[in-house]
């Protein structure tokens, strides 16, 4: 494959990854890493390095719009990011010692967990939101205007310690696999902390850039970031993220959730096959 063809194809796939990542708050890495490894045969450490850069681009492209519209919960983001960034640094250090097969299997299992958690019949609206003194004290509760429903949505945040712990795990996986951590944080914020899916997505988009930046320097210093790979990936993801941020508020939560699950289920199977095949 010529460099020009690779650049154009990588840019196109990354645009789709950025669009999708912006819609569901996962950073685009869940598409970028499998695409680079399964389609183009890029070594997984270089794919993860490019994905880390693209995650930063996704956050920059989408987060500003979500913050401006008041959808992202900045207080929740700043609290959870303490745990996520710390975990990301640890994950990035561990990634340099992990075998490629191990990373493929971990990636596939992570995505299967996300699919399982989102397929559970319970939703944030159906769960009883218990009192949370930490959320009350830090004023984490919020509201936003939903364009699709044409009304102001008010919500309360619960189970803050659980969300903080899960964010640390999400950061670890982010640094290890280059997925931004949103694939873990979005279900946790939605199902456990009681936040609407759109708020979870917007808040995750705000956080993933900081998370990725915390681990990016480790990948740069280790030589796992190739400009030839990272440049078209980051450019495509950035433009896709900007388009997705404009589209997200017009879509219903169920549509976003369905798209999320279809792509994650297919990707998890491909990554597990890559890691477990003889």
């Amino acid at each position: 494959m010529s460099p020009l063809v690779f650049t154009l194809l990588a840019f196109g796939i990354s645009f789709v990854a950025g669009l999708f990542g912006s819609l569901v708050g996962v950073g685009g890495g869940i598409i970028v890493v499998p695409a680079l490894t399964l389609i183009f045969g890029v070594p997984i450490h270089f794919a993860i390095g490019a994905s880390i850069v693209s995650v930063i681009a996704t956050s920059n492209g989408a987060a500003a719009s979500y913050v401006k519209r008041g959808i992202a919960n900045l207080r929740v983001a700043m609290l959870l990011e303490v745990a996520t960034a710390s975990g990301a640094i640890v994950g990035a250090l561990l990634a340099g010692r992990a075998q490629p097969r191990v990373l493929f299997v971990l990636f596939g299992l992570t995505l299967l967990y996300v699919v399982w958690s989102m397929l559970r019949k319970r939703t944030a609206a159906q769960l009883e939101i218990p009192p949370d003194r930490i959320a009350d004290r830090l004023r984490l509760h919020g509201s936003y205007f939903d364009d699709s429903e044409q009304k102001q949505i008010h919500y309360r945040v619960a189970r803050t310690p659980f969300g903080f712990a899960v964010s640390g795990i999400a950061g670890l996986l982010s640094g290890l696999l280059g997925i931004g951590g949103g694939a873990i944080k979005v279900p946790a914020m939605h199902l456990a902390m009681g936040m609407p899916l759109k708020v979870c997505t917007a808040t995750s988009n705000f956080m993933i850039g900081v998370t990725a930046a915390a681990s990016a320097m480790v990948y740069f210093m280790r030589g796992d970031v190739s400009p030839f790979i990272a440049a078209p990936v980051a450019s495509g993801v950035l433009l896709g993220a900007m388009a997705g941020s404009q589209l997200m508020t017009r879509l219903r939560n169920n549509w976003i959730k369905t798209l999320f699950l279809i792509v994650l289920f297919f990707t998890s199977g491909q990554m597990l096959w890559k890691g477990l095949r003889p």
Side-chain angles (χ1 to χ4, degrees), residues 127-133 135-136 141 156-160 191-194:
L127 291 172
E128 181 181 352
I129 305 299
D132 189 329
R133 292 183 179 180
D136 293 339
H141 317 298
R156 295 183 60 81
V157 176
R159 303 180 182 89
T160 304
L191 297 173
M193 299 179 71

Side-chain angles (χ1 to χ4, degrees), residues 37-38 44 100-108 271-272 274-275:
T37 55
L38 300 176
I44 191 167
R101 281 182 176 270
V102 174
L103 294 178
F104 278 117
V105 172
L106 281 176
F107 203 112
M271 295 300 278
L272 284 173
K274 182 85 171 178

Side-chain angles (χ1 to χ4, degrees), residues 186-257:
V186 170
M189 287 188 288
H190 181 53
L191 297 173
M193 299 179 71
M195 298 166 61
L197 187 57
K198 287 184 179 180
V199 176
C200 300
T201 298
T203 304
S204 175
N205 269 291
F206 178 81
M207 295 172 62
I208 56 178
V210 181
T211 303
S215 57
M217 289 306 299
V218 178
Y219 282 88
F220 274 110
M221 294 174 63
R222 201 163 51 221
D224 286 343
V225 177
S226 168
F228 174 69
I229 300 172
V233 168
S235 301
V237 166
L238 175 60
L239 293 177
M242 294 173 66
S245 67
Q246 299 298 317
L247 180 61
M248 194 269 279
T249 56
R250 297 179 175 86
L251 296 178
R252 294 188 177 276
N253 284 329
N254 288 338
W255 296 357
I256 299 173
K257 186 175 180 179

Side-chain angles (χ1 to χ4, degrees), residues 75-128:
R75 289 180 177 271
V76 171
M78 288 185 287
L79 174 65
L80 300 185
E81 192 56 49
V82 174
T84 308
S86 301
I89 295 173
V90 175
L93 293 172
L94 292 176
R97 300 176 179 272
Q99 294 294 321
R101 281 182 176 270
V102 174
L103 294 178
F104 278 117
V105 172
L106 281 176
F107 203 112
L109 292 175
T110 298
L111 298 187
L112 278 181
Y113 161 76
V114 175
V115 172
W116 172 78
S117 65
M118 295 297 283
L119 277 175
R120 288 189 296 176
K121 294 182 179 180
R122 297 186 305 170
T123 66
Q126 294 171 326
L127 291 172
E128 181 181 352

